[in-house]
Structure formats: structure tokens, C-alpha cells
Amino acid sequence: MSKKVYLTRRETFAAAHRLFKPELSDKENYELFGKCSNPNWHGHNYTLEVTVIGEVNPATGFVLDIKKLKQLIHENVISKVDHKNLNIDTEFMNGIIPTSENISIAIWKQLDDKITDGKLYSVKLYETENNYFEYKGE
Amino acid sequence: MSKKVYLTRRETFAAAHRLFKPELSDKENYELFGKCSNPNWHGHNYTLEVTVIGEVNPATGFVLDIKKLKQLIHENVISKVDHKNLNIDTEFMNGIIPTSENISIAIWKQLDDKITDGKLYSVKLYETENNYFEYKGE
Amino acid sequence: MSKKVYLTRRETFAAAHRLFKPELSDKENYELFGKCSNPNWHGHNYTLEVTVIGEVNPATGFVLDIKKLKQLIHENVISKVDHKNLNIDTEFMNGIIPTSENISIAIWKQLDDKITDGKLYSVKLYETENNYFEYKGE
Amino acid sequence: MSKKVYLTRRETFAAAHRLFKPELSDKENYELFGKCSNPNWHGHNYTLEVTVIGEVNPATGFVLDIKKLKQLIHENVISKVDHKNLNIDTEFMNGIIPTSENISIAIWKQLDDKITDGKLYSVKLYETENNYFEYKGE
Amino acid sequence: MSKKVYLTRRETFAAAHRLFKPELSDKENYELFGKCSNPNWHGHNYTLEVTVIGEVNPATGFVLDIKKLKQLIHENVISKVDHKNLNIDTEFMNGIIPTSENISIAIWKQLDDKITDGKLYSVKLYETENNYFEYKGE
Amino acid sequence: MSKKVYLTRRETFAAAHRLFKPELSDKENYELFGKCSNPNWHGHNYTLEVTVIGEVNPATGFVLDIKKLKQLIHENVISKVDHKNLNIDTEFMNGIIPTSENISIAIWKQLDDKITDGKLYSVKLYETENNYFEYKGE
């Protein structure tokens, strides 16, 4: 019998960002992105949930040692976004409008080939307690 | 490459309701619905999560401007249920026993054809912190 | 050395209520109480936190067995408000406008003389996740 | 039209456990399981979410009376794990390393054939606020 | 008998900020403020809880209509900090290092003389889920 | 003008414990402590909130760099209780019944003289989401 379990690690980070297109004026950006286009930036405490699916290893009872997953997320994501400006400081967001949709997809790309026990299943990003976004590689 | 993201908006509302069938006596309703059949009503702070799935628009990085989704939910749902009696005040619940199962399905119907960027994926309703219900149009 | 500890028990209940004065018209009540005056009622999931302060008993390490506090709260409060209409069903709210301010004070009176190990310190009532009220017998 | 709703009940329990293999030394267990292998045990407040999927019964508006689901979970799971040592006291965990992956699968087996209205869909187990695990019978 | 109740309104806002002293170099600011001194800013979802203490008005059962308190907080605080840069955009933070300590005190000053039913008791500011700060005018 | 701010750091730890008196039989311990006396232990995810009160330093806007407080709590408390058995592994709990009342007081003693910027104001310990305890040195 196959035994697949979904394992999720939750992390948080604090970052600044601005939604805008450089080719547009501040006024045009405001029309498109509203208050999220403030030229002086704003920021969020983001909550990130990364889910991996895999067979339970009968020798350990683990899909994957969750401490390893934590470490992977810290090295490949948190260290590059926490207390950063997502438009300026984060290389893997270069040239990408930092909406939560795009951040989720970019985090997926950061992690996908690093996970070798099991398979990346979902990247979920809470921008606020009322708005969250999920990418499943579809 | 296709890039589909699930976007969720969380809202809350406070409402009164009663679970009962008009053709039954209070005693029979109590047998069927327990303390939820109190003829003098009771109520809840409901938490509603509406999820839309869609392609990320490369021009904006949005599936759908979440402020629009918020507005749609307020116009079509929250304005009709918040500080209301779901058995009496809410037209879209007419003739429907207001269990959380039925409320979820009714909210789906209120929203389904209003969402034009992306597609409605799920309506999730928390009745209490311990009980929640989800309808996905299945 | 004296060792006073504050011990808190959290409980929840779901109830209907209406804010209104019987001597006023529906229109006048709406002016005073807004949507909370809906004549067809509305309701909430209330969260109640009851805090007792007392000396730690060296024989047990308890101020008071928290199971006893839970039982006291259930007998004197929860059983009288859960799945009830606070305006109609709850004797200890008779003739009292069921604002959260008044409910907190009424719950204090229900509990104050029942607590014999330690002393009632605070009754805190969350009406929603954004509004809460606390009475300390002052 | 078919109307399938996912209904979830949340419960909590507090338990002690230790991750180890009896055939290994304490040092070897520490290498495999880290601080979770503490021979003197440690423990958690686990949060369990059990999801059932089923057709809404038009006579009641219920998939399943959630009070029944609560009772099933208490009889078959909570009574056997709450304030227990999962390695010693819980018969259904006999001979199983009590990782959250394995506990989720064992809880699924405890519940699967007891649910007769609807079908068990998911067992989700939060070990901490940062780590959770889900089994869907796959 | 006097009946004083503490009433609390919770609001949230998202803002960017940077901890630094203009007379210091980036390196010196880093030594003093760590990663919070990032010259490209970072940000947070702040949660603000404002508590007012006052006598319950026997005519209404209110200390103060909580909708009025909400409005006061929006006009005097939220509109000036939400989706803003606290170092640049917020006049009432001019010349003040935007630590949560200082933001709490500045919010107190914004609100203190606007509250005429009851008295401002506390301003509590959550910078993250792990760090919060409270000012009581002491 | 004096400016005193209360600053709180939240931490979590997972531990096993048992409430019992060695001079009593298992049956007598059960009568006194209920299911918390299980001889095979049980455990919790504890949440700890440590509050310090102090003057805001005008040079930094800090009462105390919260990273220092975090470090103090880790060195003096978390490292000695996380993934431990409070009855066996934690020296500062030697000979003390590990009720949450007693753990709070013992944590206060661990921290009180280590805090040199500001003064320890409160130690708050959540044993479960429904039970919490606070010691203020009274």
C-alpha cells in the first residue's frame, strides 16, 4: 500500500514592495495598482506555507525531515526576502512585478528542483490575514 | 508556460439563524437539529473564504484585482447576510434550511457568474473555529 | 514570599441578540444602534475569557483546579447563553440591553461569588475578532 | 444536480511522544531524529482536522450531523491519545514510530470505516503552528 | 455603583519603514539597528489595538459607540499610515525613529484628545506575531 | 515627560510533563491531578510571552533591543525546556510540581535579574489555547 503524505512548513518574512510598471507615470500606476503603487513603498509581514508530497519512508516515518525543508526554505527564500525590498534587493524577483501571484510563482521556481525527497506540491503566500495566494505548478 | 494561481479573499459576517422545518413541531425539530433549532434563534460570526483560480495576467501580475473580488463579495453576499437573520432577511436563502452546507452552496450561486477574470473555485464557510464547510461546485 | 498568579479560562458560545429599547420605534432604534438593531435579530460567536487571581497552593501548585473553573463557567454562564437569544432566553440578561459592555458585567455578577479559591479578576468578551470588552469590577 | 460538500471538524489533544527505533542506541537515534529522540520524552498540543465529503441530504441540509462526527472522533481517536504517551498508551500506534506522518495515517485507519454518511476525505494534523501534515488515503 | 468597562478596537495597516539615524553611516546604522536598517526599506502588517476605558452609559449600554472609535482611528491614524512609508509619508512621525515603541507613543498623541466619551487607556502595536508593544501614557 | 513602553516577546516550546507528588500512589495522584497525572507523561506546545517595561531610549527609540530579549529567553529558558521533560530534564524545575502556575514563577526567576534595560513586568504561559497563566512578581 502506498502512503503519500502532504507535509507543510510555515515561515514568515517582512518585506517592502511597490506595484508599478516603470514605463508608466505615477498617476497611471495609481490607476492600475491603487495604493499599492505608492512610490515611497509599503510593506507586509508575509506568511509562506510550502507543501511537499511524498511517500512515507518506513525506516524513519518521515516523508522528509522537516528540519531539512526549513533549511531549504531559509537558504533559498527567507534569506533573500526577509527585511528586504522585493523590487530592489531580491535577485530572483528582478524584472517581475511583485504581486503575491508573481512572488508565489518565483518562490516555487526557487524551491522546485531543490526538493529531492518527495515533490513540491504547493506554495501558499498570505499577504494579509484577508488575502492569500497559492501556486501549484499548474 | 501556463501559470494558474488560486487567489483567496477572506470576509466575515455576523448573522442569526435557526435550523428547522416549518412542517415539524418544536420537539421534532429539536430531535433533528438539536440546540440549533432554538425557536428564539441563535447566531454566529461566520468567516467566508472565496477562492478564484485563473491565469496570471502578464500586464499586471494579477489574476484579478483582489479589491474587485472584495467588492463583488460585499455587493452579492455580505450586504445581504451581515447583521441579518438568514431565515427571514436573506432573499437568496428563501426556502432553504440555513445549514452551513446550504449557505455555502447558495453563496456559490450568488458569485459564480459574477466572476469574469478567472473562475470560482471554492466557497469555504467557518461556522465556528471548530466547524467549517467547503463547496467546490461538484 | 507571596506568589499570586492570574489564571485564565477561555470558552466560546454562539448567541443571537438585538440592541434596542422597547419604548423606541424601529427607526429611532436604528439611529441609536445602527444595524445591531435589526428587529429580526443577528448573532455572534462570542469568546469569553475569565481570569481569577490567587495564591498558588503549595500542596498542588494550583491557584484553583482549572477544570473547576471551567465547570463553574459552564454551569453559570455557557449553559444559559449558548445557542440562545440573549434578549429572550437568558434570565440574567432580563431588562438589560445586551451590548457587550452589559453582557460582561452580567457575567461578572454570575461568577463573582461562586469563585472561592482566589478572586475573580476580569471578564473579557470578544464580540468579533476586532471588538472586545473587559470588566474588572471597577 | 449533485451537491457535494466537504465538512471539517477540528479537535485538539495533548500527548507525549519520542521518535526512536528500539534497535538503535540513544546516540544513533539522536543522529536520525534530533531532539525529538529525547529518551525522557517531550510533547505537543496537536490540532486534528478531519474532513468528510458527501452529498447534502435535502431533508436536513446536512452531509452528516457534525455532532456525530465529533463523537466518532472522540470515541475512536481523542479518548485514546489525549493526555497519553503515544509510544506507550495508544494501542493503535503499537510498533509505529509516532511521527506526524504516521499518526495521520493511523488516525485515518481508526476513522475510515466508521464514517457511513459521506466518505473520509482528509486527516490533517498540526504538530506545531509551523508544521502540519495531511493524509488523504492516497 | 460605578461600572467601568475597557473597550478595545483592533485595526490593521501595512507600511514600510527603516530604522536609522541620518547622521550615521549605513554601517553604523547596521550596528545599531541590524537588518531593520536596510537602506532600501522593509515593511510590516501592523496590528493596532486601541483601548478606551469609561463608564457604561445606562441609556445605551455603550461606553462609546465602537463605530465612532473605529472612525476616529481611521481618520487620525490608519489613513496616515496604511500603504505608506512611515519615515517619509507620515507627518506625525516626522523626525522620529519609527520603532514600534515610538509609533505607539505617536499614535497615542494622535488619539488622546479626540476621545471624549471615556478616556484613552492603551495603544498596543503588534509588529509581528512575536513582537508587540504597549503604551499607556505613563 | 517620561515614556514607558511595555515590550513583549513571544516564544514557543514543546515539552513533556506529569503532575504528581512522589509520596502519593498513582490512584491518589489521579484524584488530585486527574488525567494530568498519567504516569507515562503527556505534553504540550507551550506559548510563552515575556513582557519588559522601561523608558524608551531617545538615542535608539528602543526600550531594549528585542533581539537581545529573544536571546536572553533562549539562553535562560527555551534551551532548558524545549523538547525536554520538565520533571526530569529541567534543572530549574527540580522538586517543583510542573503546573503552569509553577512554571511561570520559575521562568520569572530565571529571567528577572538578567534584564538590565527596563524591568521584567510579566511572564505569561499558554498551556493550551483555552488555558493561560500569568505571573507578575506579586
Side-chain angles (χ1 to χ4, degrees), chain B residues 10 40 44-45 89 127 129, chain C residues 10 40 44-45 89 129:
Chain B
R10 176 182 173 275
N40 291 329
H44 296 289
N45 298 335
D89 298 324
E127 191 179 86
E129 64 186 10
Chain C
R10 175 182 173 274
N40 292 330
H44 296 288
N45 297 334
D89 298 324
E129 63 186 10

Side-chain angles (χ1 to χ4, degrees), chain F residues 48-62:
Chain F
L48 171 65
E49 294 186 353
V50 175
T51 301
V52 169
I53 181 170
E55 289 286 326
V56 179
N57 180 339
T60 57
F62 287 154

